[in-house]
């Protein structure tokens, strides 16, 4: 066994699934990501959602304005797929440099009410995306109230993914923030250009984390944390070296008062500790040597983008996570508030 290194230098990583919101909240959270990642795929679930190239470019400008002086960071913009997205909208988005389109089944998660009600409505857009090679990013959960919340991802795969993969064989597809053994396995075996993002929290925690010492709303996200055997399957996938799996934090900031609420918002805020958390998960699995592929190489390779030229160094040195951060006029609690982590960014 080789001794654990005290520092770990990586090609600078990218975050392939990130929420930064808008307005004052955006200004508060963007620096946390820009301090670690070269690029991030920005989720379009604003209110109203980002459904046009023009809206995506304007949003990009607002994000760039929040990047600290002297920091190089590139937001990669996405479009929100609706029942009414047309082939022309896709062509225009492609020309504007939008990198992908996000499918939220209507009602699946935070700000998804404008999402797709029936995949048949999305066919013209999906055909246009397939023609230009623009990835479809999927929130892979059915919204059917009859389906148990812990089964919604597996049922989405059964009901929709097999058909979708077959109908659009050349469409690049990313199953976002996978949480189950079924999803990891589907991604490994699916034909065509297929990949998945995996969050740090789904690698580190199982659904028991929601209930330690009481009901803990900061640990509630969608898709919800699953049982231990699923966490182990995700760790195996992320640390396998298979290029179909890559980093996507799904850091999803909500102010503390809307998390500590009778109907708590879904979403974990992990951006400030993202790389420290991933390093911990990979170290626990004895797979630190696989972190660079997962965090820095597989994502750009899938998207057909160059890997970052810069490097990021992690140091094996304890860091104490703050209890909260300002979020515009409010405050936000990071997922691991108050905990001590083993790694930090140099
Ligand atoms: C995300 C959010 O808050 O925007 N929430 C979450 O629990 N992950 C939406 C999403 O990605 O599902
Ligand atoms: Zn998300």
């Amino acid at each position: 066994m080789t001794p654990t290194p005290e520092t770990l230098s990586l090609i600078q990583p990218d975050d392939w699934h990130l929420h930064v919101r808008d307005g004052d909240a955006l200004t508060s959270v963007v620096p946390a990501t820009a301090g670690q990642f070269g690029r991030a795929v920005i989720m379009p679930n604003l209110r109203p959602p980002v459904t046009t190239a023009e809206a995506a470019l304007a949003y990009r400008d607002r994000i760039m304005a929040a990047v600290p002086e002297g920091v190089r960071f590139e937001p990669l913009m996405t479009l929100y797929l609706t029942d009414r997205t047309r082939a022309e909208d896709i062509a225009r988005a492609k020309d504007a440099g939008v990198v992908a389109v996000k499918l939220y089944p209507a009602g699946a998660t935070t700000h998804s009410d404008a999402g797709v009600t029936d995949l048949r409505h999305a066919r013209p857009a999906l055909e246009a995306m397939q023609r230009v090679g623009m990835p479809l990013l999927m929130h892979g959960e059915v919204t059917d109230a009859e389906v148990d919340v812990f089964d919604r991802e597996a049922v989405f795969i059964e009901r929709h993914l097999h058909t979708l993969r077959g109908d659009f064989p050349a469409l690049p597809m990313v199953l976002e923030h996978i949480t189950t053994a079924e999803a990891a396995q589907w991604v490994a075996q699916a034909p065509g250009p297929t990949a998945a993002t995996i969050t740090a929290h789904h690698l580190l925690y199982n659904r028991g984390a929601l209930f330690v010492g009481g009901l803990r709303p900061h640990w509630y996200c969608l898709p919800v944390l699953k049982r231990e055997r699923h966490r182990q399957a995700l760790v195996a996938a992320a640390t396998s070296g298979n290029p179909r799996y890559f980093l996507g934090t799904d850091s999803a900031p909500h102010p503390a008062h809307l998390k500590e609420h009778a109907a708590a918002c879904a979403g974990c805020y992990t951006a400030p500790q993202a790389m420290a958390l991933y390093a911990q998960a990979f170290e626990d699995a004895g797979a630190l040597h696989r972190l660079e592929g997962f965090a820095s190489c597989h994502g750009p390779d899938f998207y057909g983008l160059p890997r970052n030229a810069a490097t990021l160094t992690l140091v094996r040195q304890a860091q104490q996570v703050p209890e909260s951060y300002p979020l515009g006029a409010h405050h936000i609690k990071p997922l691991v508030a108050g905990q001590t982590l083993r790694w930090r960014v140099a």
Side-chain angles (χ1 to χ4, degrees), residues 17-19 21 43-45 102 104 109-110 139 176-177 199 222-223 249-252 266-267:
H17 184 123
L18 177 69
H19 302 266
R21 315 305 186 202
M43 290 298 122
N45 62 332
K102 179 69 190 277
Y104 291 100
T109 186
T110 307
H139 184 110
E176 297 289 323
H177 43 52
T199 77
L222 288 171
T249 62
D250 194 20
S251 177

Side-chain angles (χ1 to χ4, degrees), residues 230-268:
H230 294 294
R231 187 193 71 81
Q232 287 175 12
L234 298 176
V235 170
T239 61
S240 66
N242 184 333
R244 288 189 166 199
Y245 305 107
F246 42 83
L247 185 157
T249 62
D250 194 20
S251 177
H254 293 277
H257 69 279
L258 294 180
K259 292 288 288 176
E260 297 163 5
H261 189 274
C265 291
C268 299

Side-chain angles (χ1 to χ4, degrees), residues 32-121:
T33 292
Q36 297 162 78
F37 297 98
R39 295 164 291 197
V41 171
I42 306 297
M43 290 298 122
N45 62 332
L46 302 182
R47 267 193 208 285
V50 179
T51 54
T52 64
E54 294 67 35
L57 290 179
Y59 187 27
R60 184 180 194 282
D61 289 344
R62 300 197 294 281
I63 296 169
M64 288 308 290
V67 176
E69 277 287 315
V71 174
R72 275 179 71 124
F73 175 71
E74 186 186 358
L76 302 173
M77 306 311 294
T78 62
L79 222 59
Y80 185 114
L81 188 65
T82 74
D83 286 347
R84 289 172 307 283
T85 308
R86 297 158 307 167
E88 303 91 271
D89 299 320
I90 300 300
R92 203 143 1 110
K94 177 79 183 173
D95 290 344
V98 167
V99 300
V101 176
K102 179 69 190 277
L103 164 69
Y104 291 100
T109 186
T110 307
H111 300 174
S112 65
D113 30 291
V116 173
T117 60
D118 186 326
L119 275 167
R120 280 173 301 189
H121 298 146

Side-chain angles (χ1 to χ4, degrees), residues 204-227:
L204 286 167
Y205 309 107
N206 64 37
R207 65 192 192 179
L210 280 154
F211 307 104
V212 176
L215 185 58
R216 297 199 299 170
H218 293 284
W219 298 74
Y220 172 57
C221 66
L222 288 171
V224 71
L225 292 169
K226 302 295 192 300
R227 49 167 82 243

